[in-house]
Amino acid sequence: MATATQPVNDLRISPLGRVEGDLDLRVTIRDGVVTDAWTEASMFRGFEIILRGKDPQAGLIVTPRICGICGGSHLYKSAYALDTAWKTHMPQNATLIRNIAQACETLLSIPRWFYALFAIDLCNKKYAHLPEYDEVVRRFAPFVGTSFEPGVTLSAKPVEVYAMFGGQWPHSSFMIPGGVMCAPSLSDVTRSIAILDMWKREWLEKQWLGCSIERWMEIKSWNDMLAWAEENESQRNSDCGLFIRFAQRAGLDKYGQGVGAYLATGTFFEPSLYEHPTVDGRNSALITRSGIYDGSSFHDFDHLNVREDTAHSFYRGDKSLHPWQGETDPIDPLEGHKQGKYSWAKSPRYDVPGKGAIPLEVGPLARQVIAGRPGNAAHQDYDPFIMDAIKTAGPSIFTRVMARMHEAPKYYAMVRKWLDQIDLHGRFYNKPVELESGRGFGSTEAARGSLSDWIVLSGGKIENYQVITPTAWNIGPRDRLGRHGPMEASFIGAEIQDPTDPIEMGHVARSFDSCLVCTVHAYDEKTGKELSRFRIGEMG
């Protein structure tokens, strides 16, 4: 426990994540508690500049290369951005295939993220005194853990289904305006069912849950979940049951709260309601809904309320623009530092009625909070579990992890339903009219959160293209009013037990699963002395 006599330090961690890119974290520590934080994206992307003046369909090829993990999600929203700009007619089969592909990419990420990126930190020596520690190390230790290898290996199964429809994964471009470039056979569908059933049986039910997905889906509240974990030996000894006990003993329910406000742009469309994709008709056609929860009230999502703030980002000026008017005008970071800028990430904000443009967390926790909003249509997801968790236990690393793992049985059930609905004799593509001008908006929920494209066409070319990723929503720097981004806010208040091994910062960052490799640097706040520097983003 920190005392009033302990010094004030800065901590700089580099890298912090385990995926790709570069993210530095600098935190100030007073009496053993983080009092301030700066997240610094240290890599320039510039895909928006690449796309200027290109053919309108260039986004279908270029944007999936933004990420090697969420390439399918980039393709999904890029295709819908052009669908809305060109006013296409979408066969219902094409919507089903797009839904299946998007969901399968997310199903890949759930176990892979837990075992390969998050759970290995639970083996840190900080927890050696806990009664479950030896079992946690036996199961979750990297490469040698008894759950690590099957968890990581089986995670690849869902994208085998993606590759069957998309021709390849990652970096497929099979979703095109007006549909998809595939016409699956009965064999493709039955193979997909067999692959996903094997994934469900061998990992989801046997290893992770220790019960059927139907039993897990009976959980409607945080207390339901805690009771489930003690219901029988199979569930208690599952990886999920072990994690629930360990997370509470390790205090993962005590920090990492964040801004307490959430955004989901939603994903997956009811095929009969989105045959003519439009921006205005998007919300009502969604299956997993869009929306904003500002900490006390729900609001409908309107993309026109999105802004990109560049006050502390390495871009010219101090602007807050909607992405259709967005600018990507980079400056030398050395010059940017003189202006108080410290990150290549912009600061996405959403103008909430009565509250102004505020930072919002995106990701599985946000999605499942929005899923708890009453008033859903018959085709839309309603699930009160995680909303109850927020009210009962509050946001934390623990609730963020459980929200993500909760999506595995939900998305599996959705995909199985969509596979059964494919009409093998129906159409999968309608050739669109390639309009020379127009504006479009496409969005989805990648595994890590809301991912959106805005496109402006003029003279048959791309005049402007802006991409806002979930990592930008979460790790963006302070805005013009000095408000922290969601991840910066999540670090504040965390107790650092050992400044030479700040595993607590790794837990917070990886609960967001930021798609950036990160660095943390530690400083003494009183003396300005750098205490230590960590690179905790590599697998080995």
Side-chain angles (χ1 to χ4, degrees):
M1 176 68 71
T3 69
T5 59
Q6 287 182 296
V8 181
N9 307 318
D10 271 8
L11 186 67
R12 189 174 183 87
I13 304 179
S14 176
L16 188 62
R18 285 196 168 101
V19 183
E20 60 179 280
D22 291 280
L23 174 64
D24 282 14
L25 168 66
R26 180 164 65 91
V27 294
T28 299
I29 302 171
R30 179 183 289 273
D31 298 334
V33 177
V34 175
T35 57
D36 209 346
W38 296 260
T39 53
E40 306 170 10
S42 57
M43 182 178 289
F44 176 60
R45 187 179 61 186
F47 281 85
E48 291 87 349
I49 297 173
I50 295 171
L51 286 166
R52 287 179 198 158
K54 297 292 193 302
D55 183 276
Q57 297 185 82
L60 307 173
I61 306 298
V62 173
T63 65
R65 272 70 183 175
I66 291 175
C67 179
I69 296 174
C70 295
S73 302
H74 278 279
L75 175 62
Y76 183 98
K77 48 68 173 164
S78 176
Y80 276 115
L82 209 45
D83 281 316
T84 56
W86 278 357
K87 308 181 191 309
T88 63
H89 177 207
M90 184 77 61
Q92 294 189 22
N93 272 337
T95 302
L96 289 170
I97 297 294
R98 289 186 183 187
N99 286 350
I100 291 166
Q102 171 66 82
C104 283
E105 186 172 81
T106 300
L107 289 176
L108 155 86
S109 278
I110 293 171
R112 184 162 295 185
W113 161 78
F114 181 81
Y115 294 104
L117 304 180
F118 181 83
I120 58 179
D121 287 333
L122 305 180
C123 304
N124 188 277
K125 63 182 184 300
K126 171 184 178 180
Y127 306 117
H129 65 288
L130 298 180
E132 294 88 358
Y133 179 74
D134 289 346
E135 183 63 15
V136 163
V137 172
R138 188 181 74 81
R139 295 193 200 186
F140 301 150
F143 304 109
V144 297
T146 56
S147 293
F148 181 94
E149 187 274 335
V152 172
T153 303
L154 289 169
S155 71
K157 287 298 176 183
V159 291
E160 291 181 13
V161 175
Y162 189 112
M164 208 174 314
F165 294 120
Q168 68 181 71
W169 184 93
H171 306 319
S172 174
S173 294
F174 84 109
M175 300 178 198
I176 56 176
V180 292
M181 293 183 67
C182 69
S185 65
L186 178 60
S187 175
D188 294 331
V189 174
T190 55
R191 283 181 62 199
S192 298
I193 292 172
I195 290 168
L196 289 171
D197 282 355
M198 183 265 198
W199 178 85
K200 179 197 73 165
R201 183 180 64 252
E202 295 300 319
W203 175 70
L204 183 54
E205 292 187 335
K206 181 179 176 181
Q207 181 176 326
W208 176 250
L209 294 176
C211 71
S212 68
I213 63 170
E214 290 78 14
R215 171 64 191 94
W216 175 264
M217 293 305 295
E218 291 174 2
I219 293 173
K220 302 301 179 188
S221 70
W222 192 246
N223 288 331
D224 283 352
M225 183 199 73
L226 297 178
W228 171 92
E230 300 296 331
E231 188 171 88
N232 56 52
E233 284 303 303
S234 177
Q235 291 162 202
R236 179 179 171 77
N237 291 329
S238 67
D239 283 356
C240 181
L242 175 63
F243 173 70
I244 289 171
R245 294 195 305 281
F246 190 81
Q248 294 174 92
R249 291 190 192 277
L252 302 186
D253 56 341
K254 300 296 191 295
Y255 62 101
Q257 289 85 350
V259 294
Y262 307 94
L263 161 70
T265 58
T267 191
F268 312 134
F269 293 102
E270 167 53 42
S272 63
L273 299 177
Y274 215 49
E275 290 190 60
H276 299 279
T278 64
V279 176
D280 291 341
R282 186 176 182 277
N283 283 350
S284 60
L286 285 166
I287 295 173
T288 60
R289 292 175 287 167
S290 62
I292 289 88
Y293 181 69
D294 64 11
S296 58
S297 303
F298 287 103
H299 304 272
D300 293 337
F301 170 69
D302 182 348
H303 83 97
L304 293 174
N305 289 339
V306 174
R307 299 287 183 273
E308 286 188 294
D309 191 300
T310 59
H312 291 91
S313 308
F314 297 135
Y315 299 95
R316 198 168 310 283
D318 175 6
K319 300 176 181 177
S320 179
L321 301 173
H322 180 270
W324 273 339
Q325 290 82 42
E327 299 177 2
T328 302
D329 190 4
I331 63 173
D332 189 326
L334 292 177
E335 181 61 32
H337 283 299
K338 297 176 183 175
Q339 302 172 25
K341 298 172 183 280
Y342 61 91
S343 177
W344 279 111
K346 298 177 183 176
S347 304
R349 295 291 183 264
Y350 187 91
D351 194 355
V352 175
K355 294 199 171 186
I358 63 174
L360 298 171
E361 177 178 339
V362 301
L365 181 59
R367 283 197 288 272
Q368 295 309 311
V369 166
I370 300 303
R373 182 183 188 180
N376 61 302
H379 67 279
Q380 293 180 319
D381 178 42
Y382 171 71
D383 183 348
F385 172 30
I386 297 299
M387 189 68 221
D388 178 79
I390 293 295
K391 293 179 177 177
T392 303
S396 66
I397 296 167
F398 188 18
T399 49
R400 200 169 285 121
V401 172
M402 293 313 300
R404 185 160 190 175
M405 304 310 290
H406 182 55
E407 291 186 334
K410 293 183 67 171
Y411 283 16
Y412 165 81
M414 290 180 187
V415 173
R416 279 295 288 108
K417 178 182 174 183
W418 294 326
L419 283 167
D420 290 343
Q421 293 175 349
I422 295 173
D423 176 6
L424 298 176
H425 302 291
R427 295 189 63 81
F428 290 82
Y429 169 69
N430 288 322
K431 183 173 176 56
V433 175
E434 299 183 11
L435 302 177
E436 290 203 344
S437 62
R439 297 190 297 186
F441 166 68
S443 190
T444 188
E445 290 289 332
R448 293 166 185 79
S450 300
L451 173 62
S452 309
D453 281 6
W454 285 261
I455 186 171
V456 179
L457 303 177
S458 179
K461 302 292 183 183
I462 294 174
E463 182 177 272
N464 197 5
Y465 204 105
Q466 293 292 324
V467 181
I468 299 185
T469 64
T471 296
W473 278 105
N474 286 333
I475 65 98
R478 290 161 173 74
D479 57 26
R480 63 187 53 229
L481 298 179
R483 290 171 301 200
H484 296 92
M487 189 184 286
E488 288 181 336
S490 294
F491 292 117
I492 297 172
E495 288 191 28
I496 305 297
Q497 180 172 302
D498 179 2
T500 66
D501 186 11
I503 192 63
E504 298 85 355
M505 299 295 92
H507 290 323
V508 173
R510 280 187 274 284
S511 72
F512 283 93
D513 193 16
S514 60
C515 202
L516 292 165
V517 178
C518 312
T519 305
V520 181
H521 302 263
Y523 292 89
D524 183 292
E525 192 180 55
K526 289 181 177 176
T527 65
K529 179 183 178 182
E530 184 173 28
L531 298 174
S532 52
R533 179 175 298 186
F534 310 90
R535 294 186 64 86
I536 53 178
E538 293 92 353
M539 286 290 296

